[in-house]
Amino acid sequence: MSWLNTWSARTFCCLVLLVISFTSLYLRHLATLRPAKNLPVAIEGEQRQIINLANALKLRQLTTLVPVDNPPVTSKGEQRQSINVDDTLNFGARPRVATRTSWNAPIIWEGMFDSNLYDQQHIERNSTVALTVFAVGRYFDAYLKTFLTTAEQHFMLGLQVTYYIFTDQPEKVPNIDLGPKRSLKVMSVEKQSRWQDISMMRMKTISDAIESEIRHHCRYVFCFDVDQVFKGRFGSEALGDSVALLHAWFYKLPKNRFTYDRNPKSKAFMETGDYYYHAAVFGGLSENVKNLADFCFLGIMEDKGNNVEALWHDESHLNKYFWLHKPSRLLSPEYCWDQIIGKNTDIRVQRLIWAPKQYNKLRTR
């Protein structure tokens, strides 16, 4: 039996050695299937792809959510990412005055905005601006040259601007030294017998000019009275879809003091409103300014047919329009101030001022 025991022991040892050998070979085979040195590299590459994809999706979402007017293009034709600079407005910068309307439109005051950000964005977007102004009759000699020369110093500097001068004396329009990207076009209009008609009929003229000329060249339009003088920056922060100006004499008065047209027979009739807007300055996208001008002109003509004239002529109809169609941007009285009012701590910058009025000499009856 001793030989049997010896054989069994030897057999057992051989089996143990075989198991150990096979186990070693199997572990070595597993090691060749999963190279430890390459694993982190693969994971890092996948992480990079995920991060790049997330950034691409984020960029696409930003450029989709924030519309860009005439977006600039790179050399490869790709649109640049843009932000909405209105999101940078500091509505708490002027606690003594209203800086936002009930429908969430900004009211622009000095200290609320970064002028460099607005200028940079509109320069990158190639924003184009038309300035319309009427110089008819005696107003031509009294105001036009000063209006244009001061506009060249302060209005929308750095942007492409075209002045549209509506006048009954086109041959007398003064030669003004214009800066880069600035041009001037003279458009003839008929002289009206009364200043009231000049004021009211300008709405049709503006609408016709936008349709035939301006909309093909300029994205934005601003309309000004000529009897004003630029004194400070009137810049790209004023641009918007639909822009109205708070009247310097009424911006802090209660609504029952606003001089809306109270005649129910007039198309400009209003019982109440939001603010009292000044027709000396208004603007916006060209199509929106045309809509405003058409609305006012149709109201004026209907009133004429009924032998009615609104209290403050085109300004009464403009207030009615902005009551029904809320402006997207309001300009504070800093953008058109009457110095006769005197010192006012709300007015940190006088950007545009009323020129001294000479109504008795200048206005025809």
Side-chain angles (χ1 to χ4, degrees):
M1 296 294 294
S2 59
W3 63 269
L4 183 58
N5 293 335
T6 301
W7 181 84
S8 298
R10 289 176 179 175
T11 301
F12 177 78
C13 290
C14 290
L15 289 174
V16 171
L17 290 173
L18 285 173
V19 170
I20 293 172
S21 298
F22 278 112
T23 301
S24 177
L25 289 172
Y26 180 73
L27 291 175
R28 194 174 301 169
H29 175 67
L30 287 178
T32 61
L33 291 178
R34 190 178 63 180
K37 291 182 179 180
N38 292 335
L39 183 59
V41 176
I43 293 174
E44 183 181 353
E46 291 174 358
Q47 288 175 338
R48 277 204 200 96
Q49 291 179 355
I50 293 171
I51 292 170
N52 291 338
L53 179 60
N55 287 336
L57 290 173
K58 184 177 180 181
L59 176 60
R60 187 179 303 171
Q61 183 183 39
L62 283 172
T63 55
T64 301
L65 291 177
V66 182
V68 180
D69 301 338
N70 301 324
V73 294
T74 65
S75 59
K76 295 182 180 180
E78 297 176 350
Q79 293 185 0
R80 293 180 186 172
Q81 181 179 352
S82 179
I83 63 169
N84 186 349
V85 289
D86 279 351
D87 291 339
T88 68
L89 287 172
N90 183 359
F91 291 98
R94 300 294 299 273
R96 295 176 59 87
V97 293
T99 56
R100 202 194 306 253
T101 69
S102 61
W103 59 93
N104 212 32
I107 306 173
I108 306 300
W109 293 86
E110 174 67 10
M112 287 178 56
F113 60 90
D114 185 328
S115 59
N116 293 325
L117 284 180
Y118 275 92
D119 288 346
Q120 179 182 356
Q121 182 179 74
H122 282 282
I123 289 171
E124 289 178 352
R125 292 180 177 182
N126 297 318
S127 294
T128 50
V129 185
L131 184 160
T132 72
V133 65
F134 286 72
V136 180
R138 297 169 184 170
Y139 278 67
F140 184 99
D141 292 324
Y143 298 118
L144 181 60
K145 186 173 183 179
T146 300
F147 177 89
L148 291 175
T149 54
T150 58
E152 270 299 283
Q153 297 168 12
H154 301 291
F155 181 74
M156 301 292 166
L157 300 185
L159 301 187
Q160 182 175 325
V161 173
T162 303
Y163 299 101
Y164 289 87
I165 313 302
F166 298 95
T167 180
D168 58 338
Q169 305 172 68
E171 72 285 351
K172 292 178 60 179
V173 172
N175 292 321
I176 303 296
D177 291 331
L178 300 176
K181 300 192 294 183
R182 322 278 281 199
S183 60
L184 186 149
K185 293 188 177 183
V186 179
M187 308 188 81
S188 297
V189 295
E190 293 183 5
K191 185 176 180 179
Q192 302 292 328
S193 59
R194 301 186 312 143
W195 70 266
Q196 294 93 334
D197 292 323
I198 295 172
S199 176
M200 290 188 289
M201 294 306 291
R202 71 169 176 158
M203 289 299 183
K204 183 180 188 303
T205 305
I206 290 170
S207 175
D208 290 346
I210 290 174
E211 178 61 29
S212 64
E213 167 77 18
I214 295 174
R215 70 183 180 91
H216 302 292
H217 305 287
C218 299
R219 180 164 179 77
Y220 297 96
V221 180
F222 258 96
C223 305
F224 287 85
D225 284 351
V226 71
D227 52 345
Q228 304 180 102
V229 180
F230 290 90
K231 289 291 187 180
R233 171 192 167 90
F234 199 116
S236 57
E237 73 283 349
L239 296 175
D241 290 355
S242 177
V243 183
L245 169 74
L246 296 183
H247 199 294
W249 284 89
F250 295 97
Y251 81 101
K252 273 197 167 181
L253 292 181
K255 290 183 179 181
N256 61 4
R257 299 278 300 278
F258 294 170
T259 54
Y260 299 134
D261 190 285
R262 309 293 184 180
N263 181 3
K265 294 181 180 180
S266 173
K267 296 297 292 184
F269 168 70
M270 293 177 63
E271 292 182 348
T272 187
D274 302 304
Y275 301 93
Y276 191 83
Y277 301 111
H278 195 177
V281 178
F282 59 93
L285 296 174
S286 59
E287 58 267 30
N288 291 338
V289 175
K290 185 181 188 307
N291 290 338
L292 182 156
D294 288 341
F295 176 94
C296 293
F297 175 67
L298 290 175
I300 289 167
M301 295 308 294
E302 188 166 338
D303 278 1
K304 280 183 175 291
N306 295 324
N307 294 317
V308 175
E309 193 167 280
L311 177 63
W312 291 111
H313 316 106
D314 59 334
E315 184 169 273
S316 296
H317 291 276
L318 177 138
N319 271 274
K320 180 66 171 287
Y321 178 86
F322 281 134
W323 167 242
L324 298 175
H325 309 275
K326 309 298 187 192
S328 66
R329 196 175 210 81
L330 278 65
L331 303 181
S332 71
E334 292 175 335
Y335 286 82
C336 187
W337 184 247
D338 187 356
Q339 293 183 314
I340 293 177
I341 297 174
K343 186 176 181 181
N344 186 321
T345 56
D346 290 342
I347 309 302
R348 295 183 181 177
V349 178
Q350 296 181 14
R351 305 182 186 279
L352 182 71
I353 63 169
W354 301 19
K357 309 303 181 186
Q358 305 173 47
Y359 292 143
N360 293 333
K361 295 181 180 180
L362 301 178
R363 285 182 172 177
T364 56
R365 297 298 179 183

